[in-house]
Amino acid sequence: MKKLKLLFLLLFVCMSAFQVSAQVADPTDVLINKKSYWQLSSRIGYDFPMFKEDFKFIEYKGGLMAGLSVNKYWNHWGFEIDFDYIKNSPTTTIGNTAFGYQPGGPVAGSVISFPTETTKTDISRMFIGIGPAYKWQSKNDKLTIELAAMGGLGFINGGEILVNAVNKPSTINDVLTYHSGFDNETVLTFKAQARATYWFKGGKWGVNGGVYYMNHFDVKKKKKNQ
């Protein structure tokens, strides 16, 4: 498996109460009822990773994501610049105890159990990109819905995981499963985002929530320990 495509679906709100109190708090530096203005927003949420190819006994769990966006609008259309930082962790489905078949010896033909040992490093990703953005705004200026599509660079590092068998018979392999992770990969990345913002009185501050999808293209595994 020389090449790997990573797909990531990032959710930074999941319910309305969570959007305001915990997920996102976005300062903006202009009144939203102006036709031309700059907008600065921040976000924090949860990332769900999806791999195009499955790894035997290995999964990547969701984790923290955080980011900043800068928008420039001329009435409904404009552009968006995004920066994102994402953290995930590999895990194994084998668990702390594994089972194996012993073909010979005093317990020939029996299924035996033995402990496992897992070593791993978290996988971190960063994204910086730019692209067009569209804004719909309610008549009372309280609600804004924004759509954006961006292209840029993704930076991927870490994600190595090794599961060893411990105190096992000689008939069982030492390595139960392994993935080498990624070594400071820089890849082309696409991101699509949708978000809704509720503005407080005066239009300078608001809270938002939304989802976005990110695709890293032509990601290669670490060459070390193939």
Side-chain angles (χ1 to χ4, degrees):
M1 186 167 49
K2 295 182 178 180
K3 296 183 180 180
L4 177 71
K5 181 184 289 185
L6 301 182
L7 303 176
F8 294 92
L9 175 65
L10 300 99
L11 176 68
F12 56 95
V13 293
C14 58
M15 59 178 61
S16 59
F18 200 42
Q19 296 171 11
V20 176
S21 61
Q23 287 286 26
V24 183
D26 280 27
T28 60
D29 57 1
V30 293
L31 291 171
I32 61 172
N33 56 9
K34 290 183 178 180
K35 289 186 176 181
S36 175
Y37 65 91
W38 288 90
Q39 177 178 291
L40 172 66
S41 60
S42 61
R43 59 186 166 273
I44 187 169
Y46 197 78
D47 169 74
F48 297 94
M50 298 182 297
F51 282 79
K52 183 181 178 183
E53 299 185 43
D54 293 329
F55 300 103
K56 194 172 183 179
F57 307 124
I58 295 175
E59 295 179 351
Y60 278 84
K61 294 297 184 180
L64 172 72
M65 58 77 60
L68 293 171
S69 294
V70 177
N71 290 74
K72 173 66 175 179
Y73 284 112
W74 295 270
N75 202 353
H76 294 292
W77 291 93
F79 66 87
E80 179 169 328
I81 302 172
D82 269 19
F83 171 79
D84 292 298
Y85 176 80
I86 305 154
K87 196 89 167 181
N88 299 110
S89 180
T91 187
T92 177
T93 59
I94 294 175
N96 296 324
T97 302
F99 298 88
Y101 179 76
Q102 182 161 296
V107 286
S110 63
V111 176
I112 59 172
S113 63
F114 47 89
T116 65
E117 181 181 64
T118 302
T119 57
K120 61 182 182 179
T121 59
D122 288 341
I123 179 173
S124 62
R125 293 177 287 128
M126 291 186 291
F127 167 74
I128 184 168
I130 186 172
Y134 175 81
K135 175 200 67 173
W136 174 88
Q137 194 164 305
S138 64
K139 292 182 179 180
N140 63 3
D141 291 335
K142 289 293 186 180
L143 178 65
T144 299
I145 296 176
E146 297 168 274
L147 303 174
M150 288 159 281
L153 293 177
F155 307 91
I156 307 170
N157 190 49
E160 184 175 13
I161 181 170
L162 170 66
V163 183
N164 278 325
V166 181
N167 298 326
K168 52 142 188 86
S170 59
T171 54
I172 304 297
N173 291 331
D174 291 331
V175 177
L176 300 180
T177 188
Y178 176 73
H179 180 237
S180 61
F182 310 95
D183 187 15
N184 293 308
E185 283 284 293
T186 301
V187 294
L188 293 176
T189 301
F190 169 78
K191 178 183 177 183
Q193 178 174 277
R195 64 182 176 186
T197 304
Y198 177 83
W199 299 97
F200 299 121
K201 186 177 180 180
K204 290 187 176 182
W205 293 85
V207 292
N208 75 29
V211 294
Y212 61 91
Y213 167 85
M214 186 179 292
N215 190 343
H216 301 294
F217 295 96
D218 196 25
V219 182
K220 298 177 182 179
K221 295 200 315 181
K222 184 191 298 183
K223 293 181 180 180
K224 180 182 178 181
N225 297 329
Q226 286 285 345

